[in-house]
Structure formats: structure tokens, C-alpha cells
Amino acid sequence: MRWFELFFLLIVGILFFCLGWEIWKKEKISLIHDYHHKKVKDSDKKAYTTIMGKSLLIIGVGIILTGVIDFITHTLYGWWIFGIAFCIGLIIIVYAQVKYNHGLF
């Protein structure tokens, strides 16, 4: 069962990491749903994609660390890392949405 958890969390974490990288470095705003970036000005798109991409990277790294820590230690300490990383990433996403899109939707 531990192998399944590790494998699943690695796949999901790598997916979030790759999406964050594409949004941040390649500025693929199209990977974000339309209504989340509808009101973002063209001059702010680089800053918006940078913040959104980095927040997804933080969440992805948190998910990867969760799987690795739980697999090695056989405890649930990794889920604390997930909770912290997810909260930090979510706060950054909400900040970017409010600042550049002038609201969550």
C-alpha cells in the first residue's frame, strides 16, 4: 500500500510541477481557465503567469515531499508538509487572482 501512495503522490506532484513550470516559464496562460484570467491586462500577463506558476510549483513540491516523507518514515508527517504547501500555494493563487483579475472569477 505504501508503494501505491508513493507512486500516486509522485504522479500528481509531478503533474502540478509541470503545469506550474509551463505557466511560469513558458507563460502558457491558456492552461488556466478562461474566466480566471479574463480581466487580466496584457501588460500584467507575465507577472500573473509568474505568480500562478510558482504557486503551482509550491503545491507540486509539497505533494512530492508528502509521498517521499510518508514512504520513508511510515508516519503522517508528510501530510503536514502537504497542508502547509497547499495553504501557501492557495494563498498565493488567491492573491494573484484578486490583484490581477480583480476578483476570484
Side-chain angles (χ1 to χ4, degrees), residues 4-64:
F4 176 75
E5 179 186 10
L6 175 65
F7 180 72
F8 180 75
L9 290 174
L10 286 177
I11 295 298
V12 172
I14 290 169
L15 178 67
F16 269 84
F17 191 88
C18 291
L19 285 172
W21 186 264
E22 291 286 317
I23 292 169
W24 174 29
K25 287 296 186 178
K26 296 185 180 179
E27 298 178 18
K28 289 192 175 182
I29 200 166
S30 62
L31 293 174
I32 303 169
H33 201 280
D34 292 345
Y35 61 82
H36 286 301
H37 63 84
K38 182 171 39 175
K39 299 175 189 170
V40 177
K41 298 175 188 170
D42 288 334
S43 60
D44 291 335
K45 286 193 180 190
K46 180 169 176 55
Y48 177 75
T49 55
T50 299
I51 293 173
M52 293 295 279
K54 286 180 180 179
S55 64
L56 288 176
L57 286 175
I58 291 169
I59 294 171
V61 168
I63 294 170
I64 292 169

